[in-house]
Amino acid sequence: MLEGSFAYENWLRPAGIGIERDAHGWFRVELRPPWWAIEYEVRSAVTNPAAVFAGGAVSSDGRHTFVVRRPNPSSAPQPAAHPPAHPGVIYASLCPPVWEREPYHLWLMLVAPAIWTNAVGPAPGPEADDLALFHDPRAECRYRWVEPTNGAGRQLLIEAPGELLIRWLPRGPHPQLIRFPPPFHRGYPMVQVRWLTETNLGGLRIPLVAELVYLTRNGLPESFSGLEPCHGYTTRVGRVSIRPARSMPLPPPPDTTVLVTDHRFWKAGVAELHYSVRNDWSAAGESLRLQHAQKVQKISLEEMVLRDLGFGKERPAPKPRAWLVRSLFIAILVLPPVWWWWNTRGRRRSHNTTP
């Protein structure tokens, strides 16, 4: 169990009312690879109405990532007698996506050493900022560990390949495969995590103090000439302890309704399911929800993303037994004329054969 503090700062975002340029808070991380859990609290959110969420819990059962966000009372005050429901999401991945801001960065800085144990491997791209890109191999990057040399700390690099699938809305809603200009056509770092101090816990190397820097291009994707720091995180582990293992994923907050968006069945053509859970995840059982997924209207990840961006149309829900109604309508129109024609033909034959 790791407990400590984190700080976030955005160097490019302009100052203004309602714009969140920095944040700080507290975290608790539990590691039992491949199971892990992150609990966090954004303490600066109390005085910042721009922060929609004030914390939450993210955990993994070794296959999927379960997210429960805690709304910020400063952003949308609610009467004490009617506490708001907490939004929850289930992702079909071991790593939270980049739009889960604090969980994603804390995962890279503190959980990745326990999960990404190879020197090099595939990693979700930091620019895969929607679910269609998140699960598309063409938007995938790679992670690479750089071991200490000359007294420098260990580093984790997330590197873009020479070409990458990105969704750049100024050119339209659909993803484009962009080939980067030289010398970036050979790849370049997008995220750098540097360990300043570390420790060893049960054979697992853990950073006690770490810094993360996110790099962005200084121009158009096909013609940029350099990189510049966009935002950064710092984590400081103040306490390391060994505690009894808890069940994973972590249960939702007690006596709290969680409105779940479930993305586990996207490969079956169902990009999202909606339901609620309370006190535990039993209502989110995979076999139960698979039966649910087989009965709902299918929607792909790309259709869902375009809809959420405002470029798609809401498809009407299918009407129950519509095929039966259409069949009865056709029968009412067609059968009476056919029946009349057949009877008339029969009477004519009998008249012609009469001696």
Side-chain angles (χ1 to χ4, degrees):
M1 183 83 72
L2 312 175
E3 298 179 66
S5 61
F6 69 86
Y8 160 80
E9 185 175 4
N10 190 305
W11 300 302
L12 296 183
R13 183 173 294 177
I17 298 175
I19 295 178
E20 188 180 14
R21 292 197 63 193
D22 52 53
H24 64 270
W26 159 93
F27 66 81
R28 179 190 295 128
V29 173
E30 184 174 341
L31 294 173
R32 287 189 295 119
W35 300 276
W36 54 267
I38 300 173
E39 298 169 274
Y40 68 99
E41 179 183 344
V42 185
R43 290 175 173 166
S44 57
V46 177
T47 57
N48 185 5
V52 180
F53 302 108
V58 186
S59 55
S60 174
D61 61 358
R63 297 175 56 228
H64 309 116
T65 295
F66 295 72
V67 177
V68 177
R69 309 182 188 118
R70 180 162 53 84
N72 180 14
S74 300
S75 176
Q78 297 285 337
H82 300 89
H86 291 197
V89 190
I90 305 178
Y91 298 106
S93 66
L94 269 177
C95 171
V98 65
W99 57 87
E100 300 287 352
R101 195 180 75 182
E102 275 75 26
Y104 171 77
H105 291 91
L106 291 173
W107 193 96
L108 285 182
M109 301 176 80
L110 298 167
V111 180
I115 304 298
W116 290 347
T117 54
N118 295 327
V120 179
E127 289 197 46
D129 51 6
D130 62 60
L131 267 179
L133 291 177
F134 185 70
H135 289 293
D136 195 317
R138 297 172 297 171
E140 196 171 74
C141 295
R142 73 166 186 170
Y143 74 82
R144 180 165 64 92
W145 291 103
V146 179
E147 296 303 329
T149 56
N150 302 324
R154 192 185 194 199
Q155 291 188 67
L156 170 64
L157 302 179
I158 309 295
E159 298 175 320
E163 60 180 21
L164 194 65
L165 189 71
I166 64 175
R167 195 185 305 272
W168 196 32
L169 292 180
R171 292 186 181 172
H174 300 288
Q176 302 176 43
L177 192 62
I178 302 295
R179 182 161 183 81
F180 300 125
F184 305 102
H185 66 291
R186 296 188 179 92
Y188 65 91
M190 303 181 77
V191 177
Q192 298 174 336
V193 180
R194 185 164 62 98
W195 295 9
L196 303 184
T197 61
E198 64 176 277
T199 189
N200 191 296
L201 180 64
L204 193 63
R205 294 171 66 183
I206 299 295
L208 293 178
V209 180
E211 294 178 344
L212 178 149
V213 175
Y214 184 99
L215 301 172
T216 188
R217 298 179 292 269
N218 65 358
L220 298 176
E222 304 94 336
S223 59
F224 68 99
S225 59
L227 303 171
E228 57 184 338
C230 175
H231 65 258
Y233 268 81
T234 302
T235 55
R236 297 179 181 275
V237 176
R239 182 179 179 183
V240 179
S241 60
I242 297 179
R243 297 186 179 182
R246 295 183 291 177
S247 62
M248 297 290 174
L250 294 180
D255 301 322
T256 300
T257 299
V258 177
L259 304 179
V260 179
T261 303
D262 192 336
H263 300 296
R264 287 177 294 179
F265 307 104
W266 67 272
K267 288 185 178 180
V270 181
E272 59 183 2
L273 289 176
H274 298 282
Y275 52 90
S276 63
V277 299
R278 191 174 179 85
N279 297 327
D280 59 44
W281 291 103
S282 58
E286 193 168 358
S287 59
L288 174 65
R289 289 304 156 188
L290 180 57
Q291 296 176 19
H292 179 188
Q294 292 169 346
K295 298 176 183 177
V296 302
Q297 186 178 15
K298 294 185 181 298
I299 180 172
S300 69
L301 289 175
E302 184 67 15
E303 289 175 319
M304 181 189 71
V305 170
L306 291 177
R307 180 204 65 195
D308 293 345
L309 290 173
F311 293 99
K313 295 182 179 179
E314 292 281 355
R315 295 188 297 180
K319 296 181 180 179
R321 305 185 185 278
W323 63 271
L324 181 59
V325 174
R326 288 195 296 268
S327 300
L328 289 174
F329 181 72
I330 292 172
I332 291 172
L333 290 177
V334 173
L335 288 179
V338 171
W339 178 84
W340 178 84
W341 174 82
W342 184 260
N343 271 351
T344 303
R345 183 170 174 267
R347 285 197 299 269
R348 286 176 180 174
R349 281 186 176 180
S350 62
H351 176 74
N352 292 335
T353 56
T354 302

